Amino acid sequence: MSNIDHLIWGVTTAAAQTEGGFNADGRGLSIWDTFTNKPKSIKDKSNNQVATNFYERYREDIDLSVKIGLKIFRFSISWSRVLPNGSGVINEKGIAFYNKVIDYCIEVGIEPWITTYHWDLPQKLQDKGGWKNRDIITDYENYIKVLKLYFVDRVKNWILINEAIVCIGAGYFLGIHAPGKRGIKSFSASIHHILLAQARGYRVLKGKKDIKIGTAISCTKIESHSKRKKDLRAASRIDALMNRLCIEPYIGLGYPENELPLVKRIKRFVQQGDMEEMKVDFDFWGIQTYAREVVKSAWYIPYLGSIPVKPSKRKAPVSIMGWETYPDGIQYFLERFSIYDSEKPLWLTECGMALSEKEDDAKRIEYYTHIIEGMKKVSDQEINLKGILLWTLVDNFEWAEGYIPKFGIIGMDKITLNRKMKKTAFWLKDYLSNRSG
Ligand code: BGC
């Protein structure tokens, strides 16, 4: 078996899922503050006003990451903490908070990585249409200029947009995430704008030589329910939507219109020069994968013509998220993305397993062991894998699922918010300290 001891291990977190401090020190509201107030929006009727209180406990979480042996601490910036109105006046106290996080990481020897957008749009921008309104591209560009001004001297690795397809699919198509919008028009406009904004953001940051700029791509293994032509076509449609739409325009391949008829709707929002502007050569691609979906053709479903076959109906294990956790996706997507470009640096910027409160954490160790095996299998191939960031450190606010699924390698007491390392954290600490690299 190959040696993968050189791979760098770290952890990914996100502001809306951890920070809390929703109205502390001049922070403006985000779409998640509004969304969680709507009845029935969150499964356990919770909200993220306190979350894991990373806002006050960031030192402890960074210390724990170091103790486990992790080398990268990826966190996201809450746009409305820095710019309470989304644009205009800068909230110096918000900047001060992120300076403290960055400086503390550096002080204790873990590298800070920034995600600029992990789904928490300022409500003030949503009031103007959010990602549906083309003006957002300029707002995002200006926001990135602010982040560059304050943080680029110390933060060398940046991820611009986290999982555009999930953020826009769930928030502007299905309405199950903030801001709760639905419909094809809302989706088509928003997806184009967020992808174009990301290209703009890249150009803002690119001026600096010593920094690396990437994107985090949601990857879901899609399989056809049968070998029938119409099911195979349905699978290739969903695959194009989930795994190609948000990467191919940057490589210059455009939107995957042959497989995905929905692209016609997106094209209504494409203006002259957009596709050219979209061609940016990210310094790395971040692959994020959790699940496998099996789909079959369904003529009555508008635009997509397909439905998922539930894991229970195909005798697959189902996680508390309702999906089939699929660690083999790691190997599959690393191989697949290397076909686009075998030299491109790849990071697994998220992978993780959701367990219920009652499930034994040993299952998570099994999952990560499986992932290590997958990474070993690809290490002999021409794949430029750099490292892996786990999802996630501390059990947190899992969006519309509230606090029910537990993705953390560290548990948290509901009342005291005290942290406690789980079996996986101890196992990982051993694994990392016994490596030769
Ligand atoms: C997201 C995280 C989320 C995780 C598990 C990823 O797609 O980036 O924010 O918690 O999936 O659902």
Side-chain angles (χ1 to χ4, degrees):
M1 246 326 139
S2 317
N3 193 331
I4 54 163
D5 287 355
H6 63 285
L7 294 181
I8 304 172
W9 285 68
V11 68
T12 293
T13 67
Q17 296 177 270
T18 61
E19 278 182 10
F22 81 109
N23 60 0
D25 300 327
R27 179 182 180 275
L29 295 182
S30 92
I31 53 176
W32 278 92
D33 296 307
T34 317
F35 188 69
T36 50
N37 270 328
K38 287 188 195 160
K40 298 199 181 139
S41 59
I42 311 297
K43 225 183 219 163
D44 60 2
K45 302 191 174 66
S46 64
N47 62 42
N48 59 346
Q49 294 186 349
V50 177
T52 70
N53 198 8
F54 178 75
Y55 193 65
E56 291 178 319
R57 305 180 76 136
Y58 65 93
R59 279 199 187 81
E60 192 179 341
D61 289 350
I62 295 168
D63 284 343
L64 281 164
S65 307
V66 172
K67 181 171 166 190
I68 294 166
L70 300 167
K71 298 289 179 208
I72 294 169
F73 190 82
R74 173 185 167 203
F75 62 96
S76 79
I77 305 270
S78 151
W79 187 337
S80 62
R81 195 178 289 293
V82 169
L83 295 167
N85 298 320
S87 61
V89 180
I90 296 173
N91 177 25
E92 292 296 340
K93 288 189 175 160
I95 301 283
F97 169 65
Y98 294 112
N99 273 334
K100 285 192 285 183
V101 172
I102 294 167
D103 290 343
Y104 193 65
C105 283
I106 296 172
E107 186 187 326
V108 297
I110 190 166
E111 194 192 339
W113 282 35
I114 281 180
T115 310
T116 70
Y117 186 73
H118 203 128
W119 309 357
D120 46 353
L121 194 73
Q123 181 59 41
K124 285 276 168 77
L125 295 181
Q126 186 54 43
D127 296 343
K128 296 185 217 160
W131 290 106
K132 195 175 164 196
N133 179 348
R134 198 175 160 101
D135 292 348
I136 190 96
I137 299 171
T138 316
D139 290 323
Y140 180 74
E141 183 180 8
N142 289 332
Y143 163 58
I144 298 303
K145 285 183 184 160
V146 173
L147 301 189
K148 180 181 179 186
L149 179 69
Y150 287 96
F151 307 133
V152 89
D153 57 332
R154 286 155 295 149
V155 178
K156 302 300 168 199
N157 281 279
W158 294 68
I159 289 180
L160 293 171
I161 301 287
N162 183 73
E163 297 190 352
I165 191 61
V166 178
C167 155
I168 301 301
Y172 287 82
F173 189 45
L174 301 174
I176 53 173
H177 277 190
K181 303 290 176 204
R182 284 167 194 262
I184 190 68
K185 200 169 165 195
S186 154
F187 172 79
S188 306
S190 304
I191 196 76
H192 182 59
H193 297 153
I194 201 169
L195 294 175
L196 195 53
Q198 179 162 242
R200 218 35 101 71
Y202 172 89
R203 291 198 165 81
V204 170
L205 280 173
K206 201 49 203 170
K208 272 286 250 173
K209 265 206 205 97
D210 62 337
I211 64 161
K212 303 237 180 301
I213 309 157
T215 178
I217 310 148
S218 161
C219 299
T220 307
K221 175 81 190 301
I222 305 293
E223 285 173 18
S224 168
H225 172 63
S226 80
K227 292 207 162 59
R228 284 186 313 176
K229 259 196 186 145
K230 56 181 185 174
D231 286 339
L232 289 169
R233 271 204 302 271
S236 112
R237 253 189 325 271
I238 301 302
D239 178 65
L241 173 75
M242 300 300 290
N243 301 318
R244 297 173 52 197
L245 188 72
C246 297
I247 187 65
E248 296 194 352
Y250 298 113
I251 314 176
L253 300 173
Y255 289 124
E257 55 183 310
N258 292 339
E259 293 77 11
L260 186 62
L262 172 88
V263 167
K264 284 193 200 76
R265 304 298 294 256
I266 299 177
K267 280 177 129 183
R268 293 186 189 173
F269 299 93
V270 177
Q271 296 186 5
Q272 211 186 353
D274 283 2
M275 298 317 283
E276 208 37 51
E277 189 178 353
M278 206 96 117
K279 292 183 197 160
V280 296
D281 190 16
F282 287 106
D283 300 312
F284 65 90
W285 292 331
I287 291 175
Q288 316 204 142
T289 188
Y290 291 85
R292 163 165 65 181
E293 295 286 353
V294 174
V295 301
K296 64 178 181 185
S297 161
W299 58 268
Y300 49 88
I301 300 290
Y303 309 109
L304 298 177
S306 88
I307 49 165
V309 182
K310 285 193 182 147
S312 53
K313 293 234 166 104
R314 47 188 169 88
K315 300 200 175 67
V318 48
S319 81
I320 183 90
M321 291 297 286
W323 66 40
E324 178 195 359
T325 303
Y326 191 63
D328 285 339
I330 303 278
Q331 186 184 343
Y332 171 79
F333 281 108
L334 287 172
E335 287 170 351
R336 186 165 154 178
F337 272 68
S338 295
I339 297 171
Y340 287 129
D341 177 351
S342 65
E343 278 163 32
K344 179 67 69 189
L346 299 178
W347 285 85
L348 288 170
T349 42
E350 270 188 40
C351 60
M353 183 183 210
L355 295 176
S356 70
E357 181 113 57
K358 292 195 190 109
E359 277 173 291
D360 187 338
D361 201 55
K363 284 192 180 170
R364 201 186 319 270
I365 299 179
E366 246 171 65
Y367 167 85
Y368 282 118
T369 306
H370 199 121
I371 282 181
I372 290 173
E373 292 312 313
M375 296 195 298
K376 280 185 185 160
K377 284 186 195 143
V378 299
S379 68
D380 289 338
Q381 305 174 32
E382 286 196 16
I383 291 177
N384 192 4
L385 177 63
K386 299 290 186 192
I388 167 169
L389 312 184
L390 314 176
W391 185 266
T392 186
L393 192 67
V394 179
D395 288 336
N396 65 19
F397 176 72
E398 177 51 36
W399 310 113
E401 309 297 314
Y403 295 89
I404 300 168
K406 312 285 179 194
F407 276 98
I409 58 171
I410 293 176
M412 182 183 77
D413 183 277
K414 269 190 212 126
I415 316 270
T416 62
L417 307 191
N418 286 342
R419 278 56 166 157
K420 193 169 171 214
M421 280 176 48
K422 299 185 192 173
K423 286 179 190 166
T424 311
F426 288 107
W427 164 84
L428 184 61
K429 185 171 183 289
D430 279 352
Y431 170 76
L432 293 174
S433 66
N434 289 328
R435 293 189 315 168
S436 57

